Amino acid sequence: MIRDKVIDEARAVAIGWRHAQVEPRHVLYGLVRALGSDAPLSAPLARVKLLMAPAGSTTGKPATSPEAEAILAGIADAATARAAADDLVGKLLAGVPGVPGALADAAGAPAAGASAATAGDTTESVLAELDRLVGLGVVKAGVRRLIAVQSFNSQRQAAGLPEVNASHHLVFTGNPGTGKTTVARLVARLYRTIGISSRGQLVEASRANLVAGYVGQTALKVQEVVRTAIGGVLFIDEAYSLAPEGPWDFGNEAIATLVQMMEESRRDLAVIAAGYPEEMKRFIDSNPGLRSRFTTYIDFPDYGPDELAQIFETMAAQAKVRLGPGVLEAVGRRLAETVGAQNFGNARFVRSLFEDAYANLAARADADGKIERTEIEDLTLADVPKDDHHQFIEHRGIGFRAPAGPVAKAPG
């Protein structure tokens, strides 16, 4: 029944924006979603979403205001739904600007602690940012395919055609430093531009954010984190650490609560789970609800030496540090010797290498007690760490067990 769909959509967007009540503006959103191609032309979803700002702070199930109840009571079929939509458009959208381009469909502040979408985002501009990343050819193709499918389904829905099931939850597999978090931020912004999510923020979480040490507390922690991510993407790094390792492990509770909330907020929440390939299989197999929701996998390959050298050069350019003669060649040799080592940190290794070279530059410039203007900009061959420079690797921790031996420095 169309009224039920309107109610579901209205409640979902109210939850997503953490509003205390379902109000007429939420009902209009639900009507536009339910009517599809029959919705008023003056009420595109992008324009209706502008009514949702600002975000609230309610974490429970929203009540329904008397005004909204009265509107919903009058909806019996498509004709009365269209009449209700026309009436709300006249009352609510007067003075609300049209929204040019593919984006502008989600005004409002992101949750605290989350990385936000950019106000001027369009699908094309965010994809251009993706293309500017070093390497990642397979990843870029996978993201473009993903966005194409989701956009295609949105167009079919608007035309009144059935959508082909395509989950917007993702699994990113790969070693540390291969760009998973960076790409997740871009996916969150892309989901906003194509209308999958309403705000486009990325909330990062790990086992420590989701699992408590006492019975009953884990579910509360998961609920709190997930609610901050509604309207955007929840990114769970090293998600395999949630897979239970024994009856005393509360990871089971965390996963069960996560699956439940993914279902409750399915209209305005995406989850990206990331980690090592083999361990992620164990995570997905730990709960049937995960297997049915995570059906799209994107693998992040390790960078080659030339790509890593390009990343080093990019970091220097962003820091406005000039690389002197022979620096890139020395860095390239260093990377060629290190690539392929067990638990190699990829771009994180490069960042640590650059930061150490920068520290050498600073120490050299300050050695005589007087730092010249040119010394704060020019990184020389002498500043590149030598071959005996300590290795920067990632400890491949599973679950929350302590490592068996000493842990090498892990770059941040």
Side-chain angles (χ1 to χ4, degrees):
M1 187 175 182
I2 193 168
R3 181 194 294 123
D4 294 335
K5 186 171 183 181
V6 173
I7 293 171
D8 287 346
E9 296 286 359
R11 184 175 293 128
V13 75
I15 292 173
W17 283 83
R18 295 194 288 178
H19 293 155
Q21 285 190 318
V22 174
E23 302 167 2
R25 54 179 172 160
H26 304 107
V27 175
L28 177 58
Y29 174 93
L31 285 163
V32 171
R33 292 280 293 187
L35 287 167
S37 60
D38 289 332
L41 295 178
S42 57
L45 199 60
R47 192 176 179 207
V48 174
K49 283 183 177 179
L50 293 176
L51 296 169
M52 299 302 131
S57 58
T58 301
T59 56
K61 182 179 178 181
T64 304
S65 71
E67 296 84 358
E69 288 278 14
I71 298 167
L72 292 167
I75 298 173
D77 51 26
T80 52
R82 174 59 193 256
D86 287 336
D87 182 59
L88 287 173
V89 167
K91 292 177 178 177
L92 300 179
L93 288 184
V96 176
V99 184
L103 174 77
D105 59 343
S115 59
T118 303
D121 280 345
T122 65
T123 303
E124 293 73 20
S125 69
V126 181
L127 287 174
E129 284 187 48
L130 176 71
D131 289 338
R132 287 195 293 271
L133 297 178
V134 175
L136 301 178
V138 173
V139 173
K140 293 171 183 176
V143 171
R144 284 185 172 274
R145 179 183 176 89
L146 165 73
I147 298 305
V149 170
Q150 298 294 346
S151 298
F152 190 64
N153 267 343
S154 295
Q155 293 295 323
R156 285 178 61 87
Q157 183 190 48
L161 298 172
E163 302 176 40
V164 176
N165 183 42
S167 174
H168 46 262
H169 305 300
L170 307 172
V171 175
F172 284 178
T173 60
N175 290 322
T178 48
K180 297 186 292 296
T181 305
T182 299
V183 173
R185 292 191 183 104
L186 294 174
V187 168
R189 291 163 59 192
L190 284 167
Y191 275 179
R192 179 187 171 194
T193 69
I194 62 175
I196 295 297
S197 62
S198 60
R199 289 188 285 165
Q201 81 278 18
L202 183 88
V203 174
E204 299 179 43
S206 64
R207 180 186 170 95
N209 304 118
L210 301 171
V211 179
Y214 300 96
V215 175
Q217 290 185 336
T218 290
L220 296 176
K221 290 188 74 170
V222 174
Q223 290 167 4
E224 181 180 357
V225 171
V226 172
R227 282 168 181 151
T228 66
I230 291 174
V233 171
L234 173 63
F235 179 74
I236 307 175
D237 199 12
E238 296 185 346
Y240 53 79
S241 65
L242 295 177
E245 298 178 347
W248 36 265
D249 188 349
F250 295 112
N252 256 335
E253 184 182 356
I255 292 173
T257 306
L258 175 65
V259 170
Q260 177 186 349
M261 295 198 72
M262 288 170 68
E263 176 61 24
E264 291 175 356
S265 306
R266 64 189 181 278
R267 292 293 185 184
D268 205 13
L269 172 71
V271 178
I272 299 177
Y276 296 106
E278 291 302 318
E279 284 81 349
M280 288 305 295
K281 291 179 183 178
R282 182 168 66 91
F283 167 68
I284 296 299
D285 289 341
S286 68
N287 186 294
L290 296 177
R291 284 197 299 271
S292 64
R293 287 167 176 80
F294 289 101
T295 57
T296 302
Y297 289 67
I298 298 180
D299 184 59
F300 287 66
D302 289 335
Y303 290 105
D306 291 343
E307 292 172 331
L308 292 169
Q310 189 177 346
I311 291 173
F312 186 97
E313 188 175 20
T314 300
M315 289 177 179
Q318 290 173 342
K320 298 190 183 303
V321 171
R322 289 193 296 258
L323 302 181
V327 169
L328 269 184
E329 291 77 2
V331 169
R333 289 192 297 271
R334 184 66 205 291
L335 292 168
E337 294 167 359
T338 313
V339 168
Q342 186 176 13
N343 298 333
F344 176 63
N346 284 282
R348 296 185 187 181
F349 173 88
V350 176
R351 177 165 294 282
S352 294
L353 190 64
F354 175 73
E355 289 174 354
D356 263 29
Y358 184 83
N360 290 341
L361 163 62
R364 175 175 57 79
D366 191 48
D368 59 0
K370 182 181 180 182
I371 299 178
E372 302 293 340
R373 176 67 176 83
T374 56
E375 290 180 314
I376 65 174
E377 294 180 304
D378 296 326
L379 192 147
T380 70
L381 185 58
D383 301 319
V384 179
K386 306 304 179 190
D387 292 344
D388 61 353
H389 177 67
H390 58 279
Q391 295 290 312
F392 293 93
I393 62 174
E394 287 284 333
H395 170 63
R396 188 167 180 155
I398 305 300
F400 56 88
R401 292 184 291 251
V407 181
K409 177 181 176 183

PDB file of all heavy atoms in Angstrom, residues 326-359:
ATOM      1  N   GLY A 326      68.617  14.186  -7.723  1.00  0.00           N
ATOM      2  CA  GLY A 326      68.903  12.843  -7.244  1.00  0.00           C
ATOM      3  C   GLY A 326      67.991  12.333  -6.146  1.00  0.00           C
ATOM      4  O   GLY A 326      68.059  11.152  -5.786  1.00  0.00           O
ATOM      5  N   VAL A 327      67.111  13.199  -5.604  1.00  0.00           N
ATOM      6  CA  VAL A 327      66.264  12.767  -4.489  1.00  0.00           C
ATOM      7  C   VAL A 327      65.275  11.687  -4.927  1.00  0.00           C
ATOM      8  O   VAL A 327      65.174  10.627  -4.301  1.00  0.00           O
ATOM      9  CB  VAL A 327      65.505  13.968  -3.881  1.00  0.00           C
ATOM     10  CG1 VAL A 327      64.433  13.477  -2.899  1.00  0.00           C
ATOM     11  CG2 VAL A 327      66.468  14.896  -3.168  1.00  0.00           C
ATOM     12  N   LEU A 328      64.550  11.937  -6.010  1.00  0.00           N
ATOM     13  CA  LEU A 328      63.557  10.947  -6.448  1.00  0.00           C
ATOM     14  C   LEU A 328      64.212   9.635  -6.839  1.00  0.00           C
ATOM     15  O   LEU A 328      63.671   8.552  -6.592  1.00  0.00           O
ATOM     16  CB  LEU A 328      62.740  11.496  -7.610  1.00  0.00           C
ATOM     17  CG  LEU A 328      61.448  12.250  -7.255  1.00  0.00           C
ATOM     18  CD1 LEU A 328      60.704  12.643  -8.512  1.00  0.00           C
ATOM     19  CD2 LEU A 328      60.552  11.398  -6.358  1.00  0.00           C
ATOM     20  N   GLU A 329      65.395   9.712  -7.445  1.00  0.00           N
ATOM     21  CA  GLU A 329      66.102   8.492  -7.832  1.00  0.00           C
ATOM     22  C   GLU A 329      66.470   7.683  -6.592  1.00  0.00           C
ATOM     23  O   GLU A 329      66.320   6.450  -6.558  1.00  0.00           O
ATOM     24  CB  GLU A 329      67.354   8.826  -8.644  1.00  0.00           C
ATOM     25  CG  GLU A 329      67.085   9.385 -10.037  1.00  0.00           C
ATOM     26  CD  GLU A 329      66.667  10.850 -10.028  1.00  0.00           C
ATOM     27  OE1 GLU A 329      66.616  11.461  -8.925  1.00  0.00           O
ATOM     28  OE2 GLU A 329      66.385  11.386 -11.113  1.00  0.00           O
ATOM     29  N   ALA A 330      66.965   8.387  -5.550  1.00  0.00           N
ATOM     30  CA  ALA A 330      67.332   7.696  -4.307  1.00  0.00           C
ATOM     31  C   ALA A 330      66.102   7.089  -3.634  1.00  0.00           C
ATOM     32  O   ALA A 330      66.145   5.962  -3.120  1.00  0.00           O
ATOM     33  CB  ALA A 330      68.034   8.663  -3.366  1.00  0.00           C
ATOM     34  N   VAL A 331      65.005   7.841  -3.637  1.00  0.00           N
ATOM     35  CA  VAL A 331      63.769   7.324  -3.068  1.00  0.00           C
ATOM     36  C   VAL A 331      63.291   6.104  -3.843  1.00  0.00           C
ATOM     37  O   VAL A 331      62.852   5.096  -3.263  1.00  0.00           O
ATOM     38  CB  VAL A 331      62.686   8.421  -3.061  1.00  0.00           C
ATOM     39  CG1 VAL A 331      61.308   7.833  -2.736  1.00  0.00           C
ATOM     40  CG2 VAL A 331      63.034   9.512  -2.063  1.00  0.00           C
ATOM     41  N   GLY A 332      63.378   6.170  -5.170  1.00  0.00           N
ATOM     42  CA  GLY A 332      62.969   5.045  -5.999  1.00  0.00           C
ATOM     43  C   GLY A 332      63.774   3.790  -5.707  1.00  0.00           C
ATOM     44  O   GLY A 332      63.223   2.681  -5.647  1.00  0.00           O
ATOM     45  N   ARG A 333      65.093   3.946  -5.523  1.00  0.00           N
ATOM     46  CA  ARG A 333      65.933   2.779  -5.202  1.00  0.00           C
ATOM     47  C   ARG A 333      65.541   2.198  -3.853  1.00  0.00           C
ATOM     48  O   ARG A 333      65.475   0.972  -3.682  1.00  0.00           O
ATOM     49  CB  ARG A 333      67.411   3.183  -5.196  1.00  0.00           C
ATOM     50  CG  ARG A 333      67.981   3.474  -6.573  1.00  0.00           C
ATOM     51  CD  ARG A 333      69.494   3.576  -6.527  1.00  0.00           C
ATOM     52  NE  ARG A 333      69.951   4.686  -5.689  1.00  0.00           N
ATOM     53  CZ  ARG A 333      70.153   5.919  -6.146  1.00  0.00           C
ATOM     54  NH1 ARG A 333      69.911   6.206  -7.420  1.00  0.00           N
ATOM     55  NH2 ARG A 333      70.583   6.867  -5.334  1.00  0.00           N
ATOM     56  N   ARG A 334      65.286   3.075  -2.918  1.00  0.00           N
ATOM     57  CA  ARG A 334      64.900   2.640  -1.581  1.00  0.00           C
ATOM     58  C   ARG A 334      63.583   1.861  -1.614  1.00  0.00           C
ATOM     59  O   ARG A 334      63.407   0.829  -0.965  1.00  0.00           O
ATOM     60  CB  ARG A 334      64.769   3.870  -0.701  1.00  0.00           C
ATOM     61  CG  ARG A 334      64.470   3.591   0.724  1.00  0.00           C
ATOM     62  CD  ARG A 334      65.667   2.868   1.385  1.00  0.00           C
ATOM     63  NE  ARG A 334      65.158   2.112   2.511  1.00  0.00           N
ATOM     64  CZ  ARG A 334      64.690   2.696   3.601  1.00  0.00           C
ATOM     65  NH1 ARG A 334      64.745   3.996   3.729  1.00  0.00           N
ATOM     66  NH2 ARG A 334      64.215   1.954   4.573  1.00  0.00           N
ATOM     67  N   LEU A 335      62.648   2.379  -2.402  1.00  0.00           N
ATOM     68  CA  LEU A 335      61.350   1.723  -2.508  1.00  0.00           C
ATOM     69  C   LEU A 335      61.456   0.382  -3.217  1.00  0.00           C
ATOM     70  O   LEU A 335      60.804  -0.596  -2.829  1.00  0.00           O
ATOM     71  CB  LEU A 335      60.368   2.639  -3.239  1.00  0.00           C
ATOM     72  CG  LEU A 335      59.974   3.913  -2.482  1.00  0.00           C
ATOM     73  CD1 LEU A 335      59.234   4.880  -3.401  1.00  0.00           C
ATOM     74  CD2 LEU A 335      59.125   3.574  -1.264  1.00  0.00           C
ATOM     75  N   ALA A 336      62.274   0.311  -4.261  1.00  0.00           N
ATOM     76  CA  ALA A 336      62.440  -0.939  -5.001  1.00  0.00           C
ATOM     77  C   ALA A 336      62.982  -2.041  -4.096  1.00  0.00           C
ATOM     78  O   ALA A 336      62.639  -3.223  -4.257  1.00  0.00           O
ATOM     79  CB  ALA A 336      63.370  -0.719  -6.186  1.00  0.00           C
ATOM     80  N   GLU A 337      63.817  -1.656  -3.134  1.00  0.00           N
ATOM     81  CA  GLU A 337      64.392  -2.636  -2.211  1.00  0.00           C
ATOM     82  C   GLU A 337      63.378  -3.083  -1.159  1.00  0.00           C
ATOM     83  O   GLU A 337      63.504  -4.181  -0.607  1.00  0.00           O
ATOM     84  CB  GLU A 337      65.609  -2.022  -1.507  1.00  0.00           C
ATOM     85  CG  GLU A 337      66.772  -1.718  -2.441  1.00  0.00           C
ATOM     86  CD  GLU A 337      67.822  -0.838  -1.769  1.00  0.00           C
ATOM     87  OE1 GLU A 337      67.594  -0.474  -0.589  1.00  0.00           O
ATOM     88  OE2 GLU A 337      68.836  -0.533  -2.406  1.00  0.00           O
ATOM     89  N   THR A 338      62.394  -2.243  -0.880  1.00  0.00           N
ATOM     90  CA  THR A 338      61.479  -2.492   0.235  1.00  0.00           C
ATOM     91  C   THR A 338      60.156  -3.102  -0.202  1.00  0.00           C
ATOM     92  O   THR A 338      59.542  -3.871   0.537  1.00  0.00           O
ATOM     93  CB  THR A 338      61.199  -1.184   1.000  1.00  0.00           C
ATOM     94  OG1 THR A 338      62.427  -0.513   1.243  1.00  0.00           O
ATOM     95  CG2 THR A 338      60.515  -1.456   2.322  1.00  0.00           C
ATOM     96  N   VAL A 339      59.696  -2.760  -1.404  1.00  0.00           N
ATOM     97  CA  VAL A 339      58.422  -3.285  -1.904  1.00  0.00           C
ATOM     98  C   VAL A 339      58.459  -4.808  -1.899  1.00  0.00           C
ATOM     99  O   VAL A 339      59.430  -5.419  -2.313  1.00  0.00           O
ATOM    100  CB  VAL A 339      58.133  -2.751  -3.314  1.00  0.00           C
ATOM    101  CG1 VAL A 339      56.975  -3.521  -3.942  1.00  0.00           C
ATOM    102  CG2 VAL A 339      57.803  -1.279  -3.271  1.00  0.00           C
ATOM    103  N   GLY A 340      57.384  -5.390  -1.444  1.00  0.00           N
ATOM    104  CA  GLY A 340      57.299  -6.850  -1.408  1.00  0.00           C
ATOM    105  C   GLY A 340      57.679  -7.446  -0.075  1.00  0.00           C
ATOM    106  O   GLY A 340      57.464  -8.636   0.160  1.00  0.00           O
ATOM    107  N   ALA A 341      58.259  -6.639   0.831  1.00  0.00           N
ATOM    108  CA  ALA A 341      58.569  -7.149   2.161  1.00  0.00           C
ATOM    109  C   ALA A 341      57.275  -7.514   2.874  1.00  0.00           C
ATOM    110  O   ALA A 341      56.218  -6.946   2.618  1.00  0.00           O
ATOM    111  CB  ALA A 341      59.334  -6.097   2.961  1.00  0.00           C
ATOM    112  N   GLN A 342      57.342  -8.467   3.772  1.00  0.00           N
ATOM    113  CA  GLN A 342      56.148  -8.908   4.480  1.00  0.00           C
ATOM    114  C   GLN A 342      55.527  -7.749   5.250  1.00  0.00           C
ATOM    115  O   GLN A 342      56.203  -7.000   5.938  1.00  0.00           O
ATOM    116  CB  GLN A 342      56.509 -10.040   5.444  1.00  0.00           C
ATOM    117  CG  GLN A 342      55.278 -10.657   6.112  1.00  0.00           C
ATOM    118  CD  GLN A 342      55.640 -11.834   6.991  1.00  0.00           C
ATOM    119  OE1 GLN A 342      56.811 -12.040   7.295  1.00  0.00           O
ATOM    120  NE2 GLN A 342      54.656 -12.602   7.394  1.00  0.00           N
ATOM    121  N   ASN A 343      54.209  -7.597   5.110  1.00  0.00           N
ATOM    122  CA  ASN A 343      53.450  -6.542   5.800  1.00  0.00           C
ATOM    123  C   ASN A 343      53.933  -5.138   5.448  1.00  0.00           C
ATOM    124  O   ASN A 343      53.879  -4.220   6.258  1.00  0.00           O
ATOM    125  CB  ASN A 343      53.506  -6.733   7.321  1.00  0.00           C
ATOM    126  CG  ASN A 343      52.892  -8.041   7.757  1.00  0.00           C
ATOM    127  OD1 ASN A 343      52.024  -8.571   7.080  1.00  0.00           O
ATOM    128  ND2 ASN A 343      53.364  -8.574   8.866  1.00  0.00           N
ATOM    129  N   PHE A 344      54.397  -4.972   4.223  1.00  0.00           N
ATOM    130  CA  PHE A 344      54.841  -3.655   3.757  1.00  0.00           C
ATOM    131  C   PHE A 344      53.689  -2.668   3.821  1.00  0.00           C
ATOM    132  O   PHE A 344      52.557  -2.990   3.470  1.00  0.00           O
ATOM    133  CB  PHE A 344      55.368  -3.789   2.327  1.00  0.00           C
ATOM    134  CG  PHE A 344      55.760  -2.482   1.693  1.00  0.00           C
ATOM    135  CD1 PHE A 344      56.781  -1.715   2.223  1.00  0.00           C
ATOM    136  CD2 PHE A 344      55.102  -2.024   0.556  1.00  0.00           C
ATOM    137  CE1 PHE A 344      57.145  -0.513   1.648  1.00  0.00           C
ATOM    138  CE2 PHE A 344      55.471  -0.831  -0.035  1.00  0.00           C
ATOM    139  CZ  PHE A 344      56.492  -0.078   0.517  1.00  0.00           C
ATOM    140  N   GLY A 345      53.972  -1.435   4.243  1.00  0.00           N
ATOM    141  CA  GLY A 345      52.908  -0.462   4.501  1.00  0.00           C
ATOM    142  C   GLY A 345      52.491   0.392   3.324  1.00  0.00           C
ATOM    143  O   GLY A 345      51.686   1.308   3.497  1.00  0.00           O
ATOM    144  N   ASN A 346      53.010   0.149   2.101  1.00  0.00           N
ATOM    145  CA  ASN A 346      52.612   0.885   0.910  1.00  0.00           C
ATOM    146  C   ASN A 346      52.725   2.393   1.111  1.00  0.00           C
ATOM    147  O   ASN A 346      53.785   2.890   1.477  1.00  0.00           O
ATOM    148  CB  ASN A 346      51.192   0.476   0.485  1.00  0.00           C
ATOM    149  CG  ASN A 346      51.171  -0.880  -0.204  1.00  0.00           C
ATOM    150  OD1 ASN A 346      51.525  -0.985  -1.367  1.00  0.00           O
ATOM    151  ND2 ASN A 346      50.780  -1.906   0.521  1.00  0.00           N
ATOM    152  N   ALA A 347      51.631   3.141   0.894  1.00  0.00           N
ATOM    153  CA  ALA A 347      51.700   4.598   0.981  1.00  0.00           C
ATOM    154  C   ALA A 347      52.033   5.071   2.390  1.00  0.00           C
ATOM    155  O   ALA A 347      52.594   6.154   2.563  1.00  0.00           O
ATOM    156  CB  ALA A 347      50.381   5.211   0.511  1.00  0.00           C
ATOM    157  N   ARG A 348      51.721   4.275   3.392  1.00  0.00           N
ATOM    158  CA  ARG A 348      52.085   4.657   4.760  1.00  0.00           C
ATOM    159  C   ARG A 348      53.601   4.615   4.946  1.00  0.00           C
ATOM    160  O   ARG A 348      54.167   5.432   5.669  1.00  0.00           O
ATOM    161  CB  ARG A 348      51.388   3.735   5.764  1.00  0.00           C
ATOM    162  CG  ARG A 348      49.875   3.848   5.728  1.00  0.00           C
ATOM    163  CD  ARG A 348      49.239   3.013   6.811  1.00  0.00           C
ATOM    164  NE  ARG A 348      47.782   3.009   6.666  1.00  0.00           N
ATOM    165  CZ  ARG A 348      46.960   2.369   7.486  1.00  0.00           C
ATOM    166  NH1 ARG A 348      47.458   1.690   8.515  1.00  0.00           N
ATOM    167  NH2 ARG A 348      45.667   2.401   7.297  1.00  0.00           N
ATOM    168  N   PHE A 349      54.231   3.651   4.304  1.00  0.00           N
ATOM    169  CA  PHE A 349      55.692   3.608   4.334  1.00  0.00           C
ATOM    170  C   PHE A 349      56.256   4.870   3.682  1.00  0.00           C
ATOM    171  O   PHE A 349      57.201   5.492   4.178  1.00  0.00           O
ATOM    172  CB  PHE A 349      56.187   2.370   3.596  1.00  0.00           C
ATOM    173  CG  PHE A 349      57.689   2.312   3.432  1.00  0.00           C
ATOM    174  CD1 PHE A 349      58.483   1.742   4.405  1.00  0.00           C
ATOM    175  CD2 PHE A 349      58.305   2.845   2.313  1.00  0.00           C
ATOM    176  CE1 PHE A 349      59.864   1.688   4.264  1.00  0.00           C
ATOM    177  CE2 PHE A 349      59.679   2.819   2.159  1.00  0.00           C
ATOM    178  CZ  PHE A 349      60.466   2.237   3.147  1.00  0.00           C
ATOM    179  N   VAL A 350      55.655   5.271   2.556  1.00  0.00           N
ATOM    180  CA  VAL A 350      56.130   6.460   1.844  1.00  0.00           C
ATOM    181  C   VAL A 350      55.959   7.696   2.729  1.00  0.00           C
ATOM    182  O   VAL A 350      56.848   8.554   2.784  1.00  0.00           O
ATOM    183  CB  VAL A 350      55.371   6.636   0.513  1.00  0.00           C
ATOM    184  CG1 VAL A 350      55.800   7.921  -0.181  1.00  0.00           C
ATOM    185  CG2 VAL A 350      55.619   5.446  -0.395  1.00  0.00           C
ATOM    186  N   ARG A 351      54.835   7.799   3.411  1.00  0.00           N
ATOM    187  CA  ARG A 351      54.635   8.951   4.298  1.00  0.00           C
ATOM    188  C   ARG A 351      55.686   8.974   5.393  1.00  0.00           C
ATOM    189  O   ARG A 351      56.241  10.032   5.717  1.00  0.00           O
ATOM    190  CB  ARG A 351      53.226   8.921   4.907  1.00  0.00           C
ATOM    191  CG  ARG A 351      52.994  10.053   5.903  1.00  0.00           C
ATOM    192  CD  ARG A 351      51.540  10.254   6.227  1.00  0.00           C
ATOM    193  NE  ARG A 351      50.800  10.719   5.058  1.00  0.00           N
ATOM    194  CZ  ARG A 351      50.812  11.965   4.612  1.00  0.00           C
ATOM    195  NH1 ARG A 351      51.542  12.891   5.222  1.00  0.00           N
ATOM    196  NH2 ARG A 351      50.103  12.289   3.555  1.00  0.00           N
ATOM    197  N   SER A 352      55.985   7.827   5.971  1.00  0.00           N
ATOM    198  CA  SER A 352      57.008   7.781   7.017  1.00  0.00           C
ATOM    199  C   SER A 352      58.379   8.143   6.454  1.00  0.00           C
ATOM    200  O   SER A 352      59.166   8.839   7.102  1.00  0.00           O
ATOM    201  CB  SER A 352      57.043   6.387   7.641  1.00  0.00           C
ATOM    202  OG  SER A 352      55.850   6.109   8.328  1.00  0.00           O
ATOM    203  N   LEU A 353      58.642   7.682   5.243  1.00  0.00           N
ATOM    204  CA  LEU A 353      59.916   7.998   4.594  1.00  0.00           C
ATOM    205  C   LEU A 353      60.024   9.504   4.353  1.00  0.00           C
ATOM    206  O   LEU A 353      61.070  10.117   4.608  1.00  0.00           O
ATOM    207  CB  LEU A 353      60.014   7.226   3.271  1.00  0.00           C
ATOM    208  CG  LEU A 353      61.361   7.241   2.545  1.00  0.00           C
ATOM    209  CD1 LEU A 353      62.429   6.544   3.381  1.00  0.00           C
ATOM    210  CD2 LEU A 353      61.230   6.564   1.185  1.00  0.00           C
ATOM    211  N   PHE A 354      58.932  10.101   3.868  1.00  0.00           N
ATOM    212  CA  PHE A 354      58.940  11.541   3.624  1.00  0.00           C
ATOM    213  C   PHE A 354      59.100  12.314   4.931  1.00  0.00           C
ATOM    214  O   PHE A 354      59.848  13.290   5.008  1.00  0.00           O
ATOM    215  CB  PHE A 354      57.660  11.962   2.903  1.00  0.00           C
ATOM    216  CG  PHE A 354      57.550  13.453   2.718  1.00  0.00           C
ATOM    217  CD1 PHE A 354      58.336  14.113   1.784  1.00  0.00           C
ATOM    218  CD2 PHE A 354      56.683  14.201   3.505  1.00  0.00           C
ATOM    219  CE1 PHE A 354      58.250  15.494   1.629  1.00  0.00           C
ATOM    220  CE2 PHE A 354      56.578  15.569   3.357  1.00  0.00           C
ATOM    221  CZ  PHE A 354      57.373  16.216   2.412  1.00  0.00           C
ATOM    222  N   GLU A 355      58.388  11.896   5.963  1.00  0.00           N
ATOM    223  CA  GLU A 355      58.474  12.601   7.244  1.00  0.00           C
ATOM    224  C   GLU A 355      59.866  12.493   7.849  1.00  0.00           C
ATOM    225  O   GLU A 355      60.358  13.440   8.467  1.00  0.00           O
ATOM    226  CB  GLU A 355      57.419  12.054   8.201  1.00  0.00           C
ATOM    227  CG  GLU A 355      55.993  12.461   7.809  1.00  0.00           C
ATOM    228  CD  GLU A 355      54.928  11.803   8.660  1.00  0.00           C
ATOM    229  OE1 GLU A 355      55.295  10.930   9.498  1.00  0.00           O
ATOM    230  OE2 GLU A 355      53.738  12.142   8.511  1.00  0.00           O
ATOM    231  N   ASP A 356      60.521  11.336   7.667  1.00  0.00           N
ATOM    232  CA  ASP A 356      61.895  11.202   8.158  1.00  0.00           C
ATOM    233  C   ASP A 356      62.854  12.082   7.360  1.00  0.00           C
ATOM    234  O   ASP A 356      63.764  12.704   7.920  1.00  0.00           O
ATOM    235  CB  ASP A 356      62.344   9.741   8.090  1.00  0.00           C
ATOM    236  CG  ASP A 356      62.188   9.037   9.427  1.00  0.00           C
ATOM    237  OD1 ASP A 356      61.298   9.440  10.189  1.00  0.00           O
ATOM    238  OD2 ASP A 356      62.951   8.088   9.701  1.00  0.00           O
ATOM    239  N   ALA A 357      62.649  12.143   6.045  1.00  0.00           N
ATOM    240  CA  ALA A 357      63.490  13.011   5.215  1.00  0.00           C
ATOM    241  C   ALA A 357      63.291  14.466   5.611  1.00  0.00           C
ATOM    242  O   ALA A 357      64.255  15.243   5.679  1.00  0.00           O
ATOM    243  CB  ALA A 357      63.144  12.806   3.737  1.00  0.00           C
ATOM    244  N   TYR A 358      62.045  14.830   5.901  1.00  0.00           N
ATOM    245  CA  TYR A 358      61.749  16.201   6.330  1.00  0.00           C
ATOM    246  C   TYR A 358      62.413  16.502   7.673  1.00  0.00           C
ATOM    247  O   TYR A 358      62.943  17.591   7.891  1.00  0.00           O
ATOM    248  CB  TYR A 358      60.233  16.380   6.417  1.00  0.00           C
ATOM    249  CG  TYR A 358      59.794  17.783   6.759  1.00  0.00           C
ATOM    250  CD1 TYR A 358      59.693  18.754   5.765  1.00  0.00           C
ATOM    251  CD2 TYR A 358      59.499  18.149   8.069  1.00  0.00           C
ATOM    252  CE1 TYR A 358      59.298  20.051   6.068  1.00  0.00           C
ATOM    253  CE2 TYR A 358      59.099  19.432   8.381  1.00  0.00           C
ATOM    254  CZ  TYR A 358      59.001  20.381   7.376  1.00  0.00           C
ATOM    255  OH  TYR A 358      58.627  21.663   7.685  1.00  0.00           O
ATOM    256  N   ALA A 359      62.395  15.513   8.571  1.00  0.00           N
ATOM    257  CA  ALA A 359      63.062  15.703   9.869  1.00  0.00           C
ATOM    258  C   ALA A 359      64.566  15.887   9.675  1.00  0.00           C
ATOM    259  O   ALA A 359      65.195  16.717  10.353  1.00  0.00           O
ATOM    260  CB  ALA A 359      62.790  14.505  10.772  1.00  0.00           C
TER     261      ALA A 359
END
